[in-house]
Amino acid sequence: MNESDRQARITKLQNHRHTLLQQRDMRGAPIASIDMELNVVRSELQALYETGRLQLRTLTPRNAASHARTA
């Protein structure tokens, strides 16, 4: 997964999380099912964030500066 794919997935998951939180507030669906889905989304977001942190740590300082400019 390249960086743009990772960022796109993060954005999609954040939007989905927001939608789930709204549904939970409206109580239009069973709360337990929304909470379970929120846990799945949260776990995937955490994994994607950690992947990004690990990628930045493994880059050399010169590559990290170049990467930061293109991101």
Side-chain angles (χ1 to χ4, degrees):
M1 174 179 284
N2 65 35
E3 183 61 20
S4 64
D5 290 341
R6 190 179 74 82
Q7 288 296 328
R9 183 66 181 151
I10 287 171
T11 300
K12 183 177 178 180
L13 286 167
Q14 287 172 336
N15 289 338
H16 185 58
R17 180 179 178 275
H18 180 72
T19 300
L20 289 170
L21 290 170
Q22 285 181 328
Q23 287 177 356
R24 187 173 69 179
D25 288 343
M26 294 181 341
R27 307 213 180 240
I31 300 303
S33 66
I34 291 174
D35 286 343
M36 285 190 297
E37 193 167 354
L38 279 167
N39 285 333
V40 171
V41 169
R42 185 181 308 114
S43 295
E44 188 172 349
L45 279 169
Q46 288 174 334
L48 288 167
Y49 291 144
E50 183 61 24
T51 300
R53 283 191 292 271
L54 290 174
Q55 288 173 348
L56 285 177
R57 279 190 221 144
T58 59
L59 294 173
T60 62
R62 182 176 34 174
N63 289 342
S66 168
H67 178 72
R69 279 185 258 128
T70 60

